[in-house]
Amino acid sequence: MDTPSPALMDAFGLLREDLYVHLEEASYLADDDEWSPEDMDRARQLIRDLVFVVRGLLVEHRTQEGGHDCTICSAPWPCPVVNTIHTVVKDPQRQFYALVERVHENG
Ligand SMILES: [Zn+2]
């Protein structure tokens, strides 16, 4: 595999930084002490968008047909991406877990 050129590495860095800016802005919304009605609408849509992203990663990082490796990473499944998602979603200290527990408790 060829080593990417310095210009391409700079472009990758800029893309990564741009994506981090968007994620940080989403995180800042959660840190606001008071939410306006517009902030609440934005947060609701943001939850949908974040679930869309996580679900998309799970769909993409599936096992190869007839195999045990990830179609994207080529790592043995569950690949590092799926392991990271599993760690966060199944953590009892996080809301993904608490929400499902609440549904089970309420029948
Ligand atoms: Zn993967």
Side-chain angles (χ1 to χ4, degrees):
M1 179 185 250
D2 294 335
T3 301
S5 70
L8 188 57
M9 292 304 294
D10 283 351
F12 287 158
L14 290 171
L15 175 62
R16 186 173 27 253
E17 282 302 313
D18 181 57
L19 292 172
Y20 278 126
V21 167
H22 288 277
L23 294 172
E24 286 170 9
E25 288 301 321
S27 183
Y28 293 153
L29 177 63
D31 294 335
D32 281 351
D33 291 334
E34 292 185 30
W35 283 2
S36 67
E38 293 80 22
D39 289 337
M40 286 189 264
D41 290 343
R42 188 172 293 120
R44 285 187 182 96
Q45 187 56 48
L46 185 57
I47 291 169
R48 292 182 192 104
D49 292 347
L50 291 171
V51 169
F52 177 80
V53 168
V54 174
R55 188 176 285 139
L57 287 169
L58 284 174
V59 167
E60 291 177 353
H61 289 264
R62 64 187 182 281
T63 54
Q64 297 170 353
E65 194 167 320
H68 301 287
D69 295 337
C70 176
T71 55
I72 301 295
C73 305
S74 298
W77 205 89
C79 69
V81 171
V82 173
N83 275 321
T84 298
I85 293 169
H86 180 270
T87 298
V88 173
V89 169
K90 300 300 280 189
D91 181 348
Q93 303 301 314
R94 295 185 185 263
Q95 290 304 309
F96 285 111
Y97 187 91
L99 286 169
V100 172
E101 288 302 302
R102 190 179 74 181
V103 168
H104 287 219
E105 287 171 8
N106 294 333

